[in-house]
Amino acid sequence: EADIYQTPRYLVIGTGKKITLECSQTMGHDKMYWYQQDPGMELHLIHYSYGVNSTEKGDLSSESTVSRIRTEHFPLTLESARPSHTSQYLCASSSGWGYGYTFGSGTRLTVV
Amino acid sequence: DQQVKQNSPSLSVQEGRISILNCDYTNSMFDYFLWYKKYPAEGPTFLISISSIKDKNEDGRFTVFLNKSAKHLSLHIVPSQPGDSAVYFCAASSQGGGADGLTFGKGTHLIIQP
């Protein structure tokens, strides 16, 4: 039973389109994260949030943006998708240090 | 500069035997370590963790060992089962570090052979 939900699971979209990847959690966690992973590579942190109205960029530079208007919701938006954005995007939440993360199932994005 | 390194991209182990996955880290500020398991097209799932005040943590078939002086940790799976075939990620964090974010290794693909 998933407590963190990502939609869509798979998305194929044309270059230049605007897309929003959804992430919601029901655990009341303050901290939420977006990671990007290419096949065979490590997960790279691209955005994180400490709570409502808090958003920060992660270690890996990304052209995406995020918002945190509600505790449970942390959507990621690409204003103009490009083939270089093709990747798997993983959302996670945490109650803090020492508790690890709960990950969503991920969104596999393909930009053609 | 990779702070968490998993130097074996893949590992093949016979069913019933012990699987040992290794992880090295370079940042001495890391004080909490985790292992995640990931199936294709799914998100990682938490497996087991260890804080730097311990050198061993056990949960069923899974044991994690931490050697702080060597900056090395390992995950032991005994006995290995077919369902253990997956990619295993080592991750590390430091209390008070930015965002409490986890730094991940590249993963090791474990293949359990019948």
Side-chain angles (χ1 to χ4, degrees), chain A residues 38-82:
Chain A
D38 294 320
M41 301 298 289
E42 61 264 56
L43 282 70
H44 287 291
L45 181 67
I46 52 174
H47 297 284
Y48 61 94
S49 167
Y50 283 129
V52 171
N53 294 326
S54 152
T55 61
E56 302 287 345
K57 289 191 179 293
D59 305 321
L60 181 68
S61 175
S62 174
E63 294 167 345
S64 58
T65 59
V66 292
S67 63
R68 190 88 184 274
I69 298 171
R70 303 195 314 267
T71 299
E72 62 271 21
H73 195 213
F74 191 41
L76 180 146
T77 298
L78 275 166
E79 290 293 332
S80 179
R82 294 208 299 267

Side-chain angles (χ1 to χ4, degrees), chain B residues 47-48 56-64 75-79 81:
Chain B
L47 204 55
I48 193 169
K56 178 183 174 182
N57 190 25
E58 196 171 351
D59 183 3
R61 295 187 298 115
F62 303 93
T63 303
V64 57
L75 174 68
H76 293 211
I77 306 173
V78 181
Q81 298 174 354

Side-chain angles (χ1 to χ4, degrees), chain A residues 9 31 33 35 48 50 98 101, chain B residues 32 36 41 99-102 106:
Chain A
R9 288 291 304 274
K31 300 186 181 184
Y33 308 85
Y35 280 83
Y48 61 94
Y50 283 129
Y101 292 0
Chain B
Y32 187 62
Y36 281 84
D100 299 322
L102 293 177
K106 289 188 177 183

Side-chain angles (χ1 to χ4, degrees), chain A residues 1-5 24-27 102:
Chain A
E1 181 179 325
D3 297 310
I4 182 164
Y5 305 91
S24 295
Q25 50 100 1
T26 59
M27 296 170 284
T102 301

Side-chain angles (χ1 to χ4, degrees), chain B residues 12-24:
Chain B
S12 185
V13 174
Q14 208 164 13
E15 182 179 355
R17 301 285 185 117
I18 182 172
S19 295
I20 300 176
L21 295 93
N22 293 303
C23 178
D24 297 294

Side-chain angles (χ1 to χ4, degrees), chain B residues 61-79:
Chain B
R61 295 187 298 115
F62 303 93
T63 303
V64 57
F65 296 92
L66 175 63
N67 182 334
K68 289 185 290 292
S69 60
K71 294 191 177 70
H72 177 84
L73 64 153
S74 61
L75 174 68
H76 293 211
I77 306 173
V78 181

